[in-house]
Amino acid sequence: MTQDSNDPDDLELFRQATKGAKPITHDRADTGKPRSDRAQLQARRQRATQTQNQLRVDGLSDQFVIDVLPEEELAWAANGVQEGQLRKLKAGQIAFDGSIDLHGMSVDKARELLWEFIAEATRIEVRCVRVTHGKAQRKDGRTPILKSHVNTWLRQHPKVLGFTSCLPRHGGTGSVYVLLRRDMLEGRDD
């Protein structure tokens, strides 16, 4: 027994079920979201892709940069750092557990990366790192920019205990070993 789709009883049941329904005049669902303003959307996209020139306060000053020569050896220790520690650092007897190469970068980029690098190293309790700053003599005959800035910044950084120029195999006067302050982790045995 097959059912006929034009059965009068089915048609009457359908009419009763749809009584009072209004026909749809458009075929799009209302999601409740307002339509986006194309001009506003374009402005947002432009703002998102523009670099922000925000002033970052990191405690490092460029006001009085200590000029150093390309082949000049660097060495500095904060108050309270034992002379023996600095000698060991200079002799390469304290292993460095991280390294960053800044030479060829702009001063602003180098500053930002150095700050982030030292922050990460101290966060994971690293004792010594190597910073490569380069030592190229500038075409105008003046002192190397990055080497001079790194020398100045490291003296100002609160987590730096001391630094010395590296052994030739680790970059010589184009790099420094940096001894970092460590905040002992709770329960640590060394």
Side-chain angles (χ1 to χ4, degrees):
M1 175 173 188
T2 61
Q3 238 183 346
D4 187 6
S5 60
N6 292 329
D7 187 5
D9 289 336
D10 286 345
L11 189 56
E12 185 55 35
L13 286 173
F14 177 76
R15 284 188 183 135
Q16 286 176 6
T18 57
K19 190 175 184 176
K22 295 179 184 176
I24 297 175
T25 57
H26 62 287
D27 63 350
R28 301 232 182 237
D30 180 13
T31 61
K33 291 183 181 178
R35 286 191 158 189
S36 62
D37 178 10
R38 288 191 186 272
Q40 185 182 26
L41 186 60
Q42 184 65 22
R44 281 186 194 162
R45 283 185 181 146
Q46 284 178 338
R47 282 193 306 268
T49 58
Q50 290 174 345
T51 58
Q52 298 294 323
N53 293 329
Q54 296 175 344
L55 178 62
R56 182 175 178 166
V57 179
D58 58 15
L60 305 180
S61 172
D62 290 324
Q63 190 152 4
F64 301 104
V65 175
I66 304 164
D67 287 333
V68 293
L69 298 172
E71 295 300 328
E72 186 176 339
E73 285 195 16
L74 303 179
W76 176 83
N79 288 337
V81 175
Q82 296 175 353
E83 202 174 296
Q85 282 290 92
L86 204 60
R87 271 197 310 273
K88 284 182 179 179
L89 190 65
K90 184 177 179 70
Q93 294 174 345
I94 300 174
F96 59 91
D97 293 322
S99 186
I100 187 169
D101 187 350
L102 304 174
H103 79 286
M105 293 183 186
S106 70
V107 171
D108 290 336
K109 185 66 174 173
R111 176 187 183 136
E112 179 183 335
L113 289 178
L114 180 62
W115 184 265
E116 291 171 1
F117 176 70
I118 291 175
E120 178 63 14
T122 55
R123 186 187 69 74
I124 60 173
E125 299 282 315
V126 169
R127 182 176 185 203
C128 181
V129 294
R130 178 181 62 179
V131 176
T132 301
H133 45 67
K135 59 181 178 177
Q137 181 75 30
R138 292 170 45 191
K139 291 177 184 170
D140 60 7
R142 292 174 48 211
T143 57
I145 291 179
L146 273 185
K147 182 174 182 176
S148 296
H149 277 81
V150 167
N151 178 47
T152 302
W153 294 333
L154 291 176
R155 293 167 188 257
Q156 299 170 14
H157 201 292
K159 295 293 185 178
V160 174
L161 293 173
F163 60 90
T164 66
S165 291
C166 291
L167 296 173
R169 70 176 181 260
H170 293 144
T173 57
S175 299
V176 287
Y177 301 121
V178 182
L179 188 62
L180 299 174
R181 180 181 317 278
R182 294 191 297 178
D183 302 320
M184 294 303 207
L185 294 173
E186 196 173 315
R188 190 162 140 169
D189 291 317
D190 58 303

